[in-house]
Each structure stands twice: as structure tokens, then as C-alpha cells.
Amino acid sequence: MGFKIGIVGLPNVGKSTLFNALTSTSQAQAGNYPFCTIEANSGEVPVPDDRLPKVAAVAGSVRAVPAKTTFVDIAGLVKGASRGEGLGNRFLGSIREMDAIAHVVRCFDDGDVSHVHGTVSPVADIEIVDTELMLADLESVERQRQKLGRKKRGNDKQAIAQDSLLAAAEEKLYLGRPARAANVPDALQGLWKGLGLLTSKPLLYVCNVDEDAIARGNDLSRHVEELAATDGTSCITVSAAIEAELAQLTPEDAHEYLEELGRERTGLERLVQAGYNLLDLITFFTTGAKETHARTIRQGTVAREAAGTIHGDFRRGFIRAEVVSSGDFILHKGFSGARDAGKLRAEGKDYVVRDGDVLQVLFNI
């Protein structure tokens, strides 16, 4: 099950530098001019999880396979993108394919790195991006509602439901609010996602600061944090330059550097975890002598569907799952010890898998 998080923002805010550090590659060319990233580069990034190596050690696994999230570096947006300015059409098209958005905002002053609008003002930068996305959504809403007209007049129930959702989004957009501010019932979430509205996607602000501000942020990043608090949006602070340096170090040297900075985890690890949380994802584990595998599912996924992420046959022939929390698996030294301690449970297909569960799936096809 793959999930994509698009890294967006104005040109020269540090998107490509951050992406390169995330993927520990130089796939995305980082340069001091607009549209340096022309194609949307993507890379799979492991989700940090302290439980994985411990479960693998107990099971005696040959290897441990982390859960992964895909990050996509999308070309920088400029004012007028909704009308096709710059690389606007490509930018907007790339975002439509994402499950969530990580909006990188420049929160540092550097005379050697030009700002596309001349002045560093993160809130103003956010307003530019938000406005372009909302304008694109308004155009999309109008187009979709027109297409639904005939079906709606024919009393097509799905068309009526879609039109109702589009109307709710339109109301928010005309008020200068993103579509995600609309109140959408759980039963209609599938239809809502299918509308493909850019501002309906979960959003995370990433404040890119300089080294001096990495521990506590700065006045610029605090303005973004205040904005995020009023909108109910997630916000984290990183230094793309420092993360790029850390990505080139050995794990030991990186750990020592982090200690000097007063940090326990890299900004990238916090970004990946924040993206994971943003999408309401959790991790469960499968384990054996060959490998221990961390697997990604959405919160609320039942055992049968979770089994299908391992292999389609597991879903089709699902009988039951033997389940133990990773904490009890580690404490009691595996499935056998957990069973003896009364911590191993047999669960049916409708069991809602919890974060950190270790599963053994029994199936027959």
C-alpha cells in the first residue's frame, strides 16, 4: 500500500535540498534559480520505528524491512500558476496525484539565495500558494458541477451526493478557506477524495530555518506556527541545509552532530513521522526467521484487509489472525512466550488492527 506526500512551495525555499536529504541522493538538482526541479522526482523513505529492530531481534530475523512513505519533489509554484504561469499546469497536475502535501516555507534570510518575490515573508508565501490552489479548485468545482447537471436532473443519487460535496467545498473556497475545511460525513469520504480537489488534501507546513534556529525556531517560523494553530494544521521546523549534511555522515557521526545540536532525532525523521501521522497511518508487523516486516495501513483497518497488504491470498483465504502487541512480543520473547503469558489472542476478520500489533495470519485458499 503506497502513500505519496508531495513537497511543494515557492521556488528557492529548500524543497529540493530537503528531498535530496530525505532520499540521500542527488536525484533532484538543487540550484539557486526558479524551476530548477522540472520533473517531479520521487523517492521511498523508510519510516523510523524503534520497535522494528527489537521485534526482528526477538524473532531472529535475517533482515528487518521498514515501512516506507513516498515523497515527491514537485516543481516550484509562482503567482498565476492556476492560469498556467511558470510550470503551473505541471505543478497542479502533480499535486492531484498526492495523498498529502508538505508545504516547505522559507524561514531564513540569506543574501546568497534569492527570493522569487524579493522579500522573505513566510505567511505571504503561504498565501500565494494557498490562493493558487484555491483558484484551481474553484475552476475544478465549477467544471465538475456542470458535468453533473444532467445526471442530477435524472435523480442519480451518486451525482446528487457529489454535487452536494462540491457545493460544500465551493462555499469554503469562496470564503478564502481550503476545501478541507468542509464538513464531510465519514460515509462520503470515498466520494470526497474522488473529486480530486487540491485543497482537500491533508497539509503539513515545514518551516525551513537556518542552523541557529534549529533548536527553537525563529520569528519567521513562529509566524507560520501561529497560522497553523489557527487553521488546525500540523507544523514542524527543520533545517534543510543541516539535514543535507547529516545525510552524508555515518550514523555514528550523525548521532554526535545531533547531540551537539541538542536534538534526539533528525528533522527528516520528524518529517517522515509527521507525514505518516498526517495520513492517519499506523504500523503493524509480520515476523519470522527470514524477515521482520513493518507494514503500513490506515487507522481503523480490519484484520482481513491488513492481511491483504501482505499478500492477496491472505485476504481471500483469511481464517483468523494471531495477534500480540509488539511490547508483549518483545517482553515475552516471541509468539510462544506471549502465548504462555496469555498475551497472544486469536482475532477474526473484523478485528481492528492496532498500531504496533504483531500478526500471524492463518489462511486457506
Side-chain angles (χ1 to χ4, degrees):
M1 185 179 293
F3 297 94
K4 290 184 177 181
I5 299 175
I7 302 176
V8 307
L10 296 178
N12 296 346
V13 297
K15 296 183 291 77
S16 295
T17 301
L18 193 63
F19 174 82
N20 290 341
L22 270 170
T23 56
S24 296
T25 70
S26 297
Q27 289 184 51
Q29 179 190 6
N32 181 24
Y33 53 91
F35 314 129
C36 175
T37 303
I38 296 177
E39 298 298 335
N41 299 291
S42 66
E44 282 193 328
V45 180
V47 178
D49 195 320
D50 295 336
R51 300 167 299 187
L52 176 62
K54 296 174 183 177
V55 171
V58 168
S61 302
V62 173
R63 65 179 186 142
V65 182
K68 293 181 180 179
T69 297
T70 298
F71 280 83
V72 181
D73 179 26
I74 298 173
L77 174 146
V78 294
K79 189 180 294 185
S82 60
R83 302 188 305 275
E85 295 291 334
L87 297 175
N89 292 331
R90 187 173 298 179
F91 175 94
L92 299 173
S94 297
I95 293 179
R96 292 190 198 283
E97 301 173 2
M98 301 299 110
D99 296 297
I101 299 170
H103 183 171
V104 180
V105 187
R106 178 172 171 173
C107 295
F108 65 90
D109 282 308
D110 187 338
D112 294 329
V113 181
S114 64
H115 188 284
V116 70
H117 295 300
T119 303
V120 178
S121 176
V123 172
D125 291 352
I126 288 171
E127 289 175 353
I128 290 171
V129 173
D130 285 352
T131 297
E132 295 302 326
L133 298 185
M134 286 189 283
L135 287 172
D137 274 351
L138 277 169
E139 183 181 334
S140 176
V141 166
E142 182 179 350
R143 187 170 57 250
Q144 291 188 65
R145 293 194 77 182
Q146 286 179 346
K147 288 182 178 180
L148 289 170
R150 181 178 297 178
K151 290 183 178 180
K152 187 182 171 186
R153 289 191 294 272
N155 207 31
D156 183 300
K157 292 183 178 179
Q158 180 168 307
I160 292 171
Q162 287 175 314
D163 187 71
S164 175
L165 291 174
L166 288 166
E170 188 174 45
E171 179 183 357
K172 296 299 181 183
L173 290 166
Y174 272 121
L175 292 172
R177 301 291 310 284
R180 74 181 69 87
N183 185 21
V184 179
D186 290 343
L188 296 179
Q189 286 294 333
L191 275 181
W192 175 249
K193 185 175 181 180
L195 299 177
L197 300 178
L198 303 176
T199 63
S200 70
K201 299 179 184 297
L203 175 69
L204 166 70
Y205 290 124
V206 182
C207 298
N208 185 16
V209 300
D210 55 27
E211 182 175 346
D212 293 338
I214 189 61
R216 297 181 178 84
N218 56 27
D219 289 342
L220 294 172
S221 66
R222 278 187 280 277
H223 290 321
V224 179
E225 290 168 1
E226 291 168 4
L227 176 65
T230 59
D231 288 348
T233 307
S234 300
C235 181
I236 66 168
T237 300
V238 302
S239 171
I242 289 178
E243 299 303 326
E245 291 180 30
L246 286 167
Q248 304 303 316
L249 300 177
T250 65
E252 295 76 15
D253 288 343
H255 179 72
E256 184 176 331
Y257 190 12
L258 280 174
E259 285 187 336
E260 292 176 7
L261 295 171
R263 290 277 186 168
E264 292 183 4
R265 281 193 161 182
T266 68
L268 299 182
E269 288 175 326
R270 290 184 291 108
L271 172 56
V272 173
Q273 190 62 60
Y276 206 67
N277 296 339
L278 185 67
L279 288 167
D280 202 21
L281 304 178
I282 63 172
T283 300
F284 75 95
F285 301 95
T286 55
T287 189
K290 184 177 180 180
E291 68 178 26
T292 293
H293 208 304
R295 302 180 184 275
T296 301
I297 54 174
R298 289 197 185 276
Q299 183 82 37
T301 300
V302 297
R304 185 182 181 189
E305 299 304 319
T309 66
I310 305 170
H311 194 285
D313 288 347
F314 286 21
R315 182 189 183 281
R316 288 189 293 272
F318 185 92
I319 299 173
R320 68 178 184 274
E322 293 188 333
V323 184
V324 58
S325 72
S326 55
D328 284 331
F329 183 89
I330 295 164
L331 177 64
H332 299 291
K333 308 301 182 184
F335 287 115
S336 180
R339 182 180 291 107
D340 293 342
K343 298 297 183 180
L344 188 69
R345 313 182 307 278
E347 300 286 2
K349 63 181 182 179
D350 295 325
Y351 167 72
V352 177
V353 178
R354 302 170 188 167
D355 184 55
D357 277 350
V358 184
L359 268 61
Q360 279 193 135
V361 177
L362 284 73
F363 71 104
N364 184 26
I365 56 172

